[in-house]
Amino acid sequence: MSTIRKTITLTNQQSDWIKSRIHAGDFTNDSEYIRDLIRRDQQRASQVAAIQAAIDEGQNSGSATPLDMEEIKRKARQEAGRHEHITDNQ
């Protein structure tokens, strides 16, 4: 992978923070710290995009209908009974 050299400007406080992270042994140099921040930002952006896609899918899935809690409980009891039966036969 090729690399590109960049020059950035930091405040003294930001520079001191990076130095403290290096001194603590979390990173070996400034570049490693900055690359880690970029990777984390890329991961976060990917997670946000996935969440937004799920939200969009839900919104486009049609109108919501009321839940029938008695039907949900009945199905859960049936499913639990099937699992008990399978476990008893093994």
Side-chain angles (χ1 to χ4, degrees):
M1 176 182 348
S2 66
T3 60
I4 298 173
R5 188 176 209 46
K6 296 277 185 181
T7 302
I8 62 170
T9 303
L10 304 171
T11 65
N12 287 334
Q13 183 183 15
Q14 292 167 331
S15 180
D16 290 344
W17 175 256
I18 294 172
K19 287 176 188 174
S20 74
R21 297 299 308 271
I22 294 167
H23 181 71
D26 298 324
F27 302 94
T28 57
N29 58 46
D30 295 21
S31 293
E32 185 181 326
Y33 179 75
I34 300 298
R35 286 191 302 270
D36 184 66
L37 290 177
I38 293 168
R39 278 190 297 274
R40 289 175 191 238
D41 186 48
Q42 289 170 325
Q43 290 171 346
R44 185 193 59 78
S46 178
Q47 291 169 340
V48 168
I51 291 168
Q52 186 60 55
I55 290 169
D56 293 344
E57 180 182 348
Q59 289 179 333
N60 294 327
S61 68
S63 298
T65 57
L67 293 176
D68 181 347
M69 289 308 295
E70 291 308 314
E71 177 67 11
I72 292 170
K73 290 175 189 177
R74 185 184 65 72
K75 287 181 180 179
R77 284 191 292 274
Q78 283 178 339
E79 188 66 26
R82 275 191 283 248
H83 288 296
E84 263 183 33
H85 181 68
I86 293 169
T87 304
D88 291 342
N89 289 333
Q90 291 180 349

